[in-house]
Amino acid sequence: MSAITVWGDIRCPWCWMGRRRLAAALERVEREVTVVHRSFLLEPEGPQSRDRTVRTAALNSWGVSAERWEATRLRVADAGRADGLAIDMDGVLSIDSRPAHRLVKLAVARGITPDRAWDRAFSGHLERHEDLADPATLRGIGTELGLDGSEVDSLLGSDRYADEVEDDHRAAVALGVGAVPAFLYEERLLSGARSVDELVDLLNGAEAVR
């Protein structure tokens, strides 16, 4: 059995799309492949802007023009729609994703499938515009997934799984990952958004994939 490792940040719309495309690619590959899900932090030190939403941060702190933001928003929405996702970047909150990553790791440790846990986190952030930095919100997501609320409270009141999240991130950086999603399969690394066909080629060992 082979394994593919995929890194992503819950804040990243392309990571949500990448996971959907990977799932579609796996359906076209005859060999059995296990997916290893690992965390990545787009802002390892936490959000550098105090702006409430990513949109206001982009316009006020990152030097992005309104025209460029609108083009990016539409490009993400169109690409997501093609993968069956409803992504509206205008309402996405600027958060530190560490607590959400830790919640996902707890969910997986309790037997919830990684796909379900990650998908709920992505949906909450990118589609529902929930505040994934808020303990009450994360508690609600956790109980929706089937976790005990008191265990979620205990998780969020501690540093549990914090080291694992940081280790995931450092492992990606050590490999030279500069964009997510990133996929590692049989010592071959692909970074950035990739099509289903490219992922199929990677899993089949095609030499042309870069």
Side-chain angles (χ1 to χ4, degrees):
M1 181 186 298
S2 301
I4 182 170
T5 301
V6 53
W7 281 271
D9 193 345
I10 289 158
R11 296 178 52 184
C12 168
W14 300 106
C15 295
W16 197 11
M17 293 179 235
R19 288 173 185 275
R20 286 294 177 92
R21 294 172 189 175
L22 177 59
L26 289 169
E27 293 179 356
R28 292 169 49 185
V29 177
E30 292 185 1
R31 71 182 70 180
E32 188 174 355
V33 180
T34 298
V35 181
V36 179
H37 304 264
R38 305 191 75 174
S39 300
F40 189 86
L41 302 170
L42 290 174
E43 292 184 287
E45 306 303 322
Q48 301 302 301
S49 167
R50 294 182 179 273
D51 293 293
R52 177 65 174 166
T53 66
V54 174
R55 179 183 184 277
T56 54
L59 297 179
N60 298 335
S61 302
W62 303 347
V64 176
S65 68
E67 293 77 12
R68 182 182 169 194
W69 172 261
E70 182 64 10
T72 298
R73 182 188 71 80
L74 291 174
R75 182 165 66 94
V76 170
D78 289 344
R81 193 176 301 113
D83 291 310
L85 306 174
I87 301 174
D88 178 9
M89 292 301 296
D90 271 346
V92 171
L93 300 178
S94 179
I95 61 164
D96 184 343
S97 59
R98 283 178 178 81
H101 281 291
R102 294 196 294 123
L103 177 65
V104 167
K105 286 189 177 294
L106 173 63
V108 173
R110 291 294 174 265
I112 296 163
T113 64
D115 284 341
R116 184 178 172 221
W118 277 91
D119 196 68
R120 180 58 183 86
F122 278 123
S123 174
H125 184 60
L126 298 165
E127 179 182 25
R128 308 183 194 195
H129 300 155
E130 296 169 333
D131 186 354
L132 299 193
D134 176 55
T137 300
L138 291 174
R139 190 183 202 275
I141 292 173
T143 56
E144 179 185 327
L145 288 170
L147 297 173
D148 183 88
S150 62
E151 186 173 24
V152 176
D153 293 339
S154 176
L155 169 81
L156 299 174
S158 70
D159 292 329
R160 192 175 175 190
Y161 293 114
D163 287 344
E164 288 87 342
V165 171
E166 297 291 344
D167 287 346
D168 283 355
H169 180 80
R170 282 193 289 266
V173 171
L175 286 171
V177 172
V180 284
F183 307 91
L184 179 66
Y185 183 68
E186 295 181 348
E187 300 185 351
R188 300 185 66 190
L189 180 68
L190 288 184
S191 292
R194 297 287 174 159
S195 69
V196 174
D197 287 343
E198 285 178 303
L199 292 172
V200 169
D201 286 345
L202 173 69
L203 296 170
N204 284 333
E207 292 298 328
V209 178
R210 294 291 184 268

